[in-house]
Amino acid sequence: MADLYTKNGRPLRRDGDRLFARSGTYVGRVRGEYVFDPSGNYAGTIVGDRVVYRSTHSARISSPSISANRVGSASANRVASAMWGDEPPFPD
């Protein structure tokens, strides 16, 4: 599992091509540098160790995906980033 963070510093857990929120909720699938929510809609772009929502990429789509939720983690937030883009619409 690899650690990623949202633009505002909320922790995410990556397991292969699946991405989970701190609570263990499945939030989407990673395809290259993009994250797609369970319905297949664009949810964010991976930039370094951050996932940011960029409206210029929002026309991208993928096939729907499902995964069982995971056990939550006690990871702490990181400092927010000033990079271009918005906070992705993931649950905490």
Side-chain angles (χ1 to χ4, degrees), residues 17-19 26-31 34-38 40 62-66:
D17 69 345
R18 297 173 298 170
L19 197 60
Y26 175 66
V27 295
R29 182 172 47 183
V30 176
R31 290 286 183 235
Y34 302 106
V35 178
F36 297 93
D37 68 16
S62 179
S63 58
S65 63
I66 59 170

Side-chain angles (χ1 to χ4, degrees), residues 8 12 54 57 67 69:
N8 289 342
L12 301 168
R54 293 184 169 165
H57 298 162
S67 179
N69 292 338

Side-chain angles (χ1 to χ4, degrees), residues 4 12 16 23 40-41 45 56-57 59 61-62 77 90 92:
L4 291 172
L12 301 168
S23 64
N41 294 316
T45 301
T56 56
H57 298 162
I61 57 170
S62 179
N77 286 5
F90 298 143
D92 194 19

Side-chain angles (χ1 to χ4, degrees), residues 52-81:
V52 296
Y53 180 87
R54 293 184 169 165
S55 59
T56 56
H57 298 162
S58 64
R60 298 175 187 280
I61 57 170
S62 179
S63 58
S65 63
I66 59 170
S67 179
N69 292 338
R70 297 279 180 147
V71 175
S73 71
S75 299
N77 286 5
R78 279 201 174 171
V79 176
S81 173

